[in-house]
Structure formats: structure tokens, C-alpha cells
Amino acid sequence: MDVWPRKKDGVVLLRGAEADIVSLDGYLFGMDIPCYHSIADTKGEPTANLFKRVTGGLDYIVASVHSRAFAKGATIEQATQMYLNVLAQPKVFVLGHVGRAGVPFDLDTVLTAARDSHKLIEINEHSLEVDRSGKITQSCRDIARRCAELGVGITVSTDAHISSDIGRFSQAPAMLEEIGFPQELIVNRSAESLLEHMALAGVCDLRALLN
């Protein structure tokens, strides 16, 4: 990340990562793994945890549930508080694919917290592509519809797992158009909009890069 310039061929490069939510406390992967401050510093006691080591130089984090085993038997209240705790973390800017996570929570409470903190809900193409039963698509549609009603910003992405899928959309934009989702709430519709919201969320302020 330190090697790549902030701007390359007129494109602003952001430094981000997706981090796995691993507990009902809202902990992200690596927070409980001690490590040294750098690979060259291995004397004495560990000075950081893996999460801080990996994310220290990032602009923002997308936080997502991938394996929901830790939430088995959790109440709606517990799962809701989990997402609220995640949103409260300074570098977390986006809740990733909550429609695919399979952890029931109080939607309005979490969406309102995201809106009030200028953080985003992700709607991604991959979630719709892997849906075989239609349940994920319906969940994503319901979340997007409620985001529109409450004025919650979203980010629309491919969640590409291979370079050739970057920028390839079909289902996600069609679904948003079908429900009449307002363009102004699609925060990553432009670089200006995205960087403005990152600054408002207190994640980082990179607006000067657009000059």
C-alpha cells in the first residue's frame, strides 16, 4: 500500500480491506491475535494486535459476517448490538452484504445508526449471483427498500472475486431500479460523493486528492 501512489493515471486510489466480524461483541478478525509492531521488531512483548497491524495504514474498512456460526442462538437484540458495535469502530465505513449474512437483526435500529453516522450499507452483485433460492435477493431488496425509506446511504459493488468481474453489473442495478432507489443515496456514484461521506463519517478525509 505504501508503494502505490495516491493517484495513478488520474485515478484516486483508496486503501481499504474487508474484515470479518467474528463475535457478538462486534470484534473483527485479528483483534485477539497479538503481534509485534513490525516484522523487524520481534523482541520483548507483542506491541499490537494483528487487526491494528494490518489496518493501521488503511483509509477504511468494510466489515462483514461470513461464517455465522458464532451467532447461532443469538437473540435479535444481541445481533443488533453486534452491528451497532461494529459501526461504532472508527475505521469501519461499510457494513458488507448484510442481506447475505444470515444473522437476523433489528433492521431499522442498525440502518438508523448507519445513517446518523454517515456510514454505508453494501448491496453487491455477488450476493445476488450466488442466490439459488431467491431468499438472499429478497433480503437485499427489503434492505435496499428500507434504506431508501430511511434515507440511508448505500454502496453498490461487484464484490468481485476475480479481476475480470470488476465493474460487471447486471442484477444489483436492475434490482435498485425496480424498487425506485434514489440515485442520491448511492454514495459511490461518484468519487466526490464517496470521499465526502468518508469525511463526514470521520473515517478519513481525502477530499484534497480530487484537486
Side-chain angles (χ1 to χ4, degrees), residues 159-166:
D159 191 23
H161 288 195
I162 187 171
S163 60
S164 58
D165 282 344
I166 294 174

Side-chain angles (χ1 to χ4, degrees), residues 30-100:
M31 285 184 169
D32 61 344
I33 301 176
C35 68
Y36 295 97
H37 180 69
S38 75
I39 59 174
D41 175 21
T42 57
K43 296 179 180 180
E45 294 296 319
T47 55
N49 61 48
L50 181 61
F51 176 79
K52 289 183 178 179
R53 168 77 191 284
V54 171
T55 64
L58 298 182
D59 300 324
Y60 72 102
I61 292 169
V62 179
S64 313
V65 172
H66 291 95
S67 174
R68 61 180 183 269
F70 71 86
K72 184 177 181 180
T75 65
I76 295 292
E77 291 76 14
Q78 288 175 308
T80 300
Q81 190 60 52
M82 173 192 75
Y83 278 125
L84 294 178
N85 291 348
V86 170
L87 284 170
Q89 297 187 41
K91 283 197 175 183
V92 171
F93 183 46
V94 180
L95 287 184
H97 52 69
V98 291
R100 191 173 88 222

